[in-house]
Amino acid sequence: QVQLQESDPGLVQPSETLSLTCNVSGGSITDFYWTWIRQPPGKTLEWLGYIYNNGRPNYNPALRSRVTISVDTSRRQFSLKLTSVTAADTAVYYCARGWGISTSLDSWGQGSLVTVSA
Amino acid sequence: DIQLTQSPSSLSASVGDRVVITCRASQSIGAHVNWYQQKLGRAPKLLIYAVSSLQSGVPSRFRGSGSGTEFTLIIYGLQPEDFATYFCQQSYNVPYTFGQGTNLEIK
């Protein structure tokens, strides 16, 4: 049974870089779409992007200039970096595992609330 | 971006009811539709993938159907644990997008 666990950066200063790591345990780290999703308070879910194995990441075009997703298979973790954050980036950030023809997200981390504030 | 519009946005129902939630896409999205359930303060949970396939461990009272631009999640015989928010998602085009959610409340 795969389990995903996000790190907890908590508070991030405006204009700085948000960094999150997701540790993957209990399952394969290859052949899945390792995905980041976020959810601002009271709003719907926003897909940020994914990385498949060590291939080229696929990002949300709205964030492409600020987002980087990478994977370290040897450490069984994948990461999100979001630069130049503002209050609009305040959200619960989820890591998730995607698979199959519809790239459904069948396993999720518990979520990490990131607040952007001075 | 492909827009997904769920209806209704909120719904009150009773235990035992049959509930229908619709997801309409701004363009055809083939079979690339998934449905999730989210309870307050928790991560979403996959219910249905590829329009109509039931995720392992999900009760059979959850059914998905549809094609093209219109998709439906039906819950037969609502149970107390089903009161939650439901989201559809498309993975046909990047960026993958979610509906705005349907909040299912107890009547």
Side-chain angles (χ1 to χ4, degrees):
Chain A
Q1 181 76 5
V2 65
Q3 289 190 321
L4 282 65
Q5 176 79 45
E6 300 98 344
S7 57
D8 184 15
L11 188 67
V12 181
Q13 302 289 316
S15 80
E16 297 196 341
T17 296
L18 179 163
S19 295
L20 282 164
T21 298
C22 184
N23 290 299
V24 180
S25 59
S28 173
I29 190 72
T30 56
D31 299 328
F32 291 99
Y33 297 86
W34 300 107
T35 303
W36 289 96
I37 304 286
R38 70 181 180 181
Q39 186 173 34
K43 296 189 177 181
T44 190
L45 302 151
E46 180 180 22
W47 179 84
L48 304 182
Y50 66 66
I51 187 165
Y52 182 77
N53 290 339
N54 275 310
R56 181 178 172 182
N58 209 342
Y59 298 134
N60 189 323
L63 297 168
R64 183 170 286 133
S65 63
R66 299 198 292 132
V67 67
T68 302
I69 296 174
S70 59
V71 63
D72 185 338
T73 53
S74 64
R75 300 182 69 180
R76 298 183 57 83
Q77 61 184 205
F78 62 106
S79 301
L80 170 75
K81 290 188 185 300
L82 185 65
T83 62
S84 305
V85 297
T86 69
D89 296 308
T90 293
V92 176
Y93 285 74
Y94 295 100
C95 59
R97 184 181 78 169
W99 73 279
I101 189 170
S102 65
T103 326
S104 58
L105 302 171
D106 69 339
S107 295
W108 295 65
Q110 83 283 0
S112 179
L113 174 60
V114 177
T115 302
V116 179
S117 175
Chain B
D1 297 5
I2 295 176
Q3 307 300 316
L4 298 180
T5 303
Q6 289 181 231
S7 59
S9 294
S10 62
L11 175 60
S12 293
S14 301
V15 172
D17 283 354
R18 170 181 165 272
V19 166
V20 179
I21 299 171
T22 299
C23 178
R24 289 187 173 86
S26 56
Q27 66 180 74
S28 179
I29 54 177
H32 297 260
V33 174
N34 307 307
W35 289 92
Y36 301 87
Q37 176 194 68
Q38 186 178 34
K39 296 184 178 179
L40 196 62
R42 305 286 298 274
K45 172 187 172 183
L46 178 65
L47 299 175
I48 302 287
Y49 63 93
V51 179
S52 60
S53 295
L54 191 67
Q55 172 67 359
S56 176
V58 174
S60 59
R61 63 180 179 270
F62 291 92
R63 305 278 180 85
S65 64
S67 63
T69 62
E70 186 159 330
F71 302 87
T72 300
L73 173 69
I74 301 178
I75 311 171
Y76 292 92
L78 267 177
Q79 296 300 301
E81 61 267 28
D82 299 337
F83 293 94
T85 301
Y86 293 84
F87 295 94
C88 58
Q89 179 221 359
Q90 66 82 20
S91 55
Y92 185 79
N93 270 353
V94 167
Y96 298 167
T97 49
F98 293 83
Q100 83 278 14
T102 295
N103 185 26
L104 178 55
E105 299 177 326
I106 300 175
K107 184 182 287 183

